[in-house]
Amino acid sequence: MEGNMEILKPHLKNYLGAIIGAVISIIVAAGASLLQPRILQFILDNLLKNDRQAMFNYGMILIALAVIGVIAGILNVYFAARVAQGVTSDLREETYRKIQTFSLSNIEKFSASTLVVRLINDMNQVLNVVMTTFMQVLRMPIMIIGAFILGIVTIPRFWWLQVVMFLAVGLVIGLTFPQLGKMFDRFQKKLDHSNTIAKEAMQGIRVIKSFNQQENEEERFGEVSDDMNDLNIKISYVFSCLLPAFFLVCNVGITAVVYLVGINVENNPGELAAITSYIGYLMQMLFTLAFGGMTMAMYARGFVSLGRIKEVLDTKPDLTFDPNAPEVELDGTVEFDNVSFAYPGAENETLKNISFKVAPGESIGVIGATGSGKSTLAQLMTRLYDPTSGVVKVGGIDLREVNEGSLRKAVSLVLQKALLFSGKISDNLRQGDRNATTKDFRWAARISQAAEFVERYDDQYEHPVEERSANFSGGQKQRLSITRGVVGKPKVLILDDSTSALDAKSEKRVKEALEKELTQTTTFVIAEKIFSVMDADRIMVLDQGQIVALGSHQELLANSQVYREIYETQRAKDKIEEGEL
């Protein structure tokens, strides 16, 4: 637990003023609560003596203590909330920044859904831990020790009763606390799983409805939901046993005090006035212990969440950039020197002994069957992964020695699955170049053929992008993605099947615009269809992770059997489709 709390210390230092305020106010509030039974005893003593003036004076003191306690309690809530909200917000930002440094393999290890749960649900549990610490946990030792001492001062001969009650409540807490910790850990994992299923269902709703799988998805989610419900019920059972056990101990203690005082009241008449005060201290001690047990149960869940967040913060990115690497301007040279690559946990290599060199401004087509390693090639060029062996160079420099900013400015990747973020079109385009102007947007949009629909909007590039870009078609999203990819005028542009949603006419216009406007840009066009790459300077044919042919379209038709078979198969398929039309 102490190790988990370490992640909060740097952030707590930023709120020392509020922490001091919370500590002082909780001490004042606890002190006011502890003094009230004692003052009540003095009032009862003077009631037996019929001393009205003393009763009035002590009554005013009792009222003053109550007012002070209320004010201190309000201030404590204010300061505790400031600390809890501030620390949790800072920790959430730190965790999010850490996630941004993760490589793709790190993200896949955790999964996106569990990282979202850790950023939201687990952070809420941490908020509860910090809030409870400065509202209740600091109060507990003051109340328990103070009530114990003042109880002994009130009726010294019953000190042993307080010890017995203390041990009894401690036993109840000791039996239940470890169970709750394990249950909360299981609950958070089940929450991760349910979040994953829900996310997949929401993202794949079109597939689910197309195949009429609603009932199966309902059953799938229902099973996970029922598991969470069963575990929650078990947790509730433990809590339901805690309160009756605490009240049983308290009532037994009160009964014992009344009985013991009653049988000796003639020998100790002063205890008659003190019994109410003593019971008050006994109740304060026991209820603080009981509430402490409940708090510790909630702490168990909070510490599980802290551990899950700490796991993220302690994870070292599998791929890092050299912080001391100088900012350099890379040209469009791309070189693979005997590169092999296997995904983490995979038995077989996706790419095997890949070697080639591309000059600045050259256009390269990349084709191959599904699983041949085309997209992996693109991910290595953008250093989303490092090769298992061999060297990948851009601008003649090993990517492991390149500054991240230099690489991102030089190399741009446009994926087949177009992803736009909610906001505005301009916000998305500035991800390609944060300093891009409207003039740059127009230039890039003309290349991608996005201008024909964007500039019809009244607000043009300030037009809103809805969540999951639901207000754009697949082709529009791809064209905007291409716009984002070229707006920064990269030295290397990689189009990973990023024109698949475009019609043949639009695709041709995009290719012609790229050739005309980006003459100094090295272009890699990854595609399934030979038609999309046949005009490239050279075409690379991948098969089972290896380059089996490299040359122009005409050269490959003459010299590569694999290329010729792909070409003839696709040509025959096109003829059949044309005949059907």
Side-chain angles (χ1 to χ4, degrees):
M1 291 185 180
E2 291 182 4
N4 293 344
M5 290 294 287
E6 289 290 327
I7 64 176
L8 297 179
K9 288 183 179 179
H11 303 294
L12 289 169
K13 293 177 181 178
N14 298 327
Y15 301 92
L16 287 178
I19 290 173
I20 292 171
V23 172
I24 292 174
S25 59
I26 201 68
I27 291 173
V28 172
S33 296
L34 287 169
L35 288 174
Q36 287 177 25
R38 190 68 173 167
I39 299 301
L40 183 60
Q41 180 184 351
F42 294 152
I43 292 174
L44 292 175
D45 281 335
N46 286 283
L47 177 63
L48 295 174
K49 297 175 184 178
N50 199 26
D51 188 343
R52 295 185 178 181
Q53 184 60 44
M55 288 171 57
F56 176 79
N57 293 338
Y58 283 120
M60 295 303 295
I61 293 173
L62 192 63
I63 293 172
L65 286 173
V67 172
I68 291 171
V70 170
I71 294 174
I74 293 172
L75 289 174
N76 175 251
V77 172
Y78 170 75
F79 287 122
R82 283 195 62 185
V83 176
Q85 293 288 350
V87 168
T88 306
S89 177
D90 292 348
L91 182 61
R92 183 183 290 111
E93 291 177 9
E94 180 190 6
T95 306
Y96 186 77
R97 286 195 299 271
K98 181 71 176 186
I99 293 172
Q100 295 303 307
T101 68
F102 283 175
S103 65
L104 290 182
S105 58
N106 291 124
I107 299 293
E108 290 167 358
K109 172 188 172 185
F110 283 101
S111 86
S113 58
T114 187
L115 288 173
V116 171
V117 171
R118 294 182 198 219
L119 277 172
I120 299 175
N121 183 271
D122 285 313
M123 285 296 175
N124 289 336
Q125 303 306 322
V126 173
L127 173 68
N128 293 335
V129 166
V130 178
M131 191 80 175
T132 303
T133 298
F134 290 100
M135 284 185 62
Q136 301 297 339
V137 175
L138 296 179
R139 178 189 179 96
M140 289 174 190
I142 300 173
M143 293 297 296
I144 292 171
I145 296 171
F148 185 82
I149 293 173
L150 289 173
I152 293 175
V153 170
T154 304
I155 306 181
R157 68 191 183 94
F158 289 156
W159 65 268
W160 58 269
L161 183 61
Q162 291 172 258
V163 173
V164 171
M165 297 295 102
F166 186 93
L167 293 176
V169 173
L171 179 63
V172 173
I173 294 172
L175 291 174
T176 55
F177 181 72
Q179 297 180 40
L180 286 171
K182 295 176 183 177
M183 289 181 181
F184 284 135
D185 185 30
R186 289 166 53 198
F187 182 83
Q188 291 302 114
K189 290 178 180 177
K190 289 182 181 294
L191 186 62
D192 282 347
H193 187 41
S194 67
N195 189 64
T196 300
I197 292 176
K199 180 182 176 182
E200 289 175 349
M202 295 302 104
Q203 291 179 337
I205 191 66
R206 288 185 176 87
V207 176
I208 292 171
K209 287 185 174 294
S210 297
F211 289 95
N212 195 29
Q213 293 296 305
Q214 293 94 321
E215 291 186 5
N216 289 338
E217 286 300 315
E218 289 172 8
E219 291 177 6
R220 184 181 173 213
F221 186 80
E223 290 177 2
V224 178
S225 181
D226 290 342
D227 286 343
M228 289 177 61
N229 184 54
D230 292 341
L231 186 55
N232 252 333
I233 291 174
K234 290 179 181 178
I235 293 172
S236 300
Y237 285 158
V238 176
F239 274 109
S240 67
C241 294
L242 279 174
L243 281 178
F246 291 146
F247 279 113
L248 177 63
V249 173
C250 292
N251 289 330
V252 169
I254 294 170
T255 302
V257 171
V258 173
Y259 174 75
L260 294 172
V261 170
I263 62 175
N264 289 288
V265 69
E266 294 180 358
N267 298 327
N268 300 285
E271 291 180 353
L272 191 61
I275 189 172
T276 301
S277 178
Y278 183 83
I279 290 174
Y281 286 124
L282 189 65
M283 294 295 288
Q284 281 185 341
M285 184 186 74
L286 295 180
F287 269 101
T288 302
L289 276 171
F291 190 79
M294 302 288 287
T295 302
M296 289 302 104
M298 298 304 298
Y299 253 44
R301 186 171 190 174
F303 279 117
V304 167
S305 293
L306 271 172
R308 286 159 53 83
I309 294 168
K310 187 174 184 293
E311 184 183 1
V312 175
L313 295 176
D314 288 346
T315 298
K316 294 182 179 180
D318 294 334
L319 186 153
T320 58
F321 286 85
D322 184 358
N324 300 316
E327 189 88 21
V328 294
E329 186 171 345
L330 304 173
D331 63 26
T333 305
V334 177
E335 182 179 358
F336 276 54
D337 184 5
N338 199 31
V339 171
S340 297
F341 175 77
Y343 285 99
E347 296 181 0
N348 300 320
E349 290 181 329
T350 305
L351 294 178
K352 305 168 187 176
N353 305 317
I354 300 292
S355 294
F356 64 86
K357 188 172 182 178
V358 179
E362 192 174 1
S363 62
I364 303 294
V366 183
I367 66 167
T370 301
S372 60
K374 302 188 299 297
S375 294
T376 303
L377 197 76
Q379 292 173 4
L380 292 178
M381 278 188 273
T382 52
R383 208 189 170 206
L384 297 179
Y385 289 99
D386 275 337
T388 307
S389 62
V391 178
V392 179
K393 296 180 181 180
V394 171
I397 305 175
D398 186 341
L399 291 188
R400 286 170 287 202
E401 300 173 0
V402 173
N403 175 281
E404 183 176 12
S406 300
L407 178 61
R408 300 303 174 223
K409 183 178 179 181
V411 182
S412 180
L413 171 62
V414 183
L415 299 170
Q416 177 184 10
K417 185 177 180 181
L419 175 63
L420 301 178
F421 297 91
S422 57
K424 300 176 182 177
I425 292 176
S426 60
D427 296 332
N428 280 273
L429 299 187
R430 285 196 176 95
Q431 291 175 336
D433 181 2
R434 67 177 64 184
N435 299 315
T437 63
T438 302
K439 181 180 178 182
D440 296 324
F441 297 158
R442 294 183 187 281
W443 171 81
R446 283 196 295 271
I447 293 175
S448 68
Q449 308 304 305
E452 65 182 39
F453 68 89
V454 174
E455 295 183 5
R456 292 177 184 173
Y457 301 132
D458 293 336
D459 46 4
Q460 296 194 358
Y461 295 93
E462 298 306 308
H463 192 71
V465 178
E466 296 178 1
E467 184 178 355
R468 297 182 64 201
S469 53
N471 54 330
F472 295 104
S473 68
Q476 289 175 330
K477 285 189 282 189
Q478 276 200 340
R479 281 183 276 183
L480 286 173
S481 292
I482 296 172
T483 307
R484 179 172 55 192
V486 303
V487 72
K489 300 177 182 178
K491 299 297 182 181
V492 179
L493 176 64
I494 306 166
L495 302 175
D496 187 359
D497 207 13
S498 51
T499 58
S500 58
L502 303 184
D503 57 74
K505 186 177 180 181
S506 297
E507 183 180 2
K508 182 179 180 182
R509 287 179 179 176
V510 170
K511 288 168 60 180
E512 291 173 348
L514 287 171
E515 292 174 3
K516 179 180 178 182
E517 298 290 341
L518 298 177
T519 56
Q520 300 302 312
T521 296
T522 304
T523 307
F524 286 83
V525 179
I526 300 172
E528 295 285 344
K529 295 183 178 181
I530 287 180
F531 171 79
S532 300
V533 300
M534 60 189 301
D535 294 328
D537 296 329
R538 286 189 291 169
I539 300 171
M540 183 187 303
V541 183
L542 290 177
D543 185 35
Q544 296 183 359
Q546 295 180 305
I547 298 177
V548 295
L550 181 62
S552 67
H553 174 65
Q554 295 300 329
E555 290 172 345
L556 293 178
L557 281 179
N559 303 318
S560 173
Q561 181 179 351
V562 174
Y563 185 83
R564 192 163 50 248
E565 288 176 356
I566 296 173
Y567 175 74
E568 290 174 354
T569 300
Q570 291 186 1
R571 189 179 178 186
K573 182 180 179 182
D574 291 341
K575 287 183 177 180
I576 292 173
E577 291 177 350
E578 289 174 4
E580 290 176 350
L581 291 173

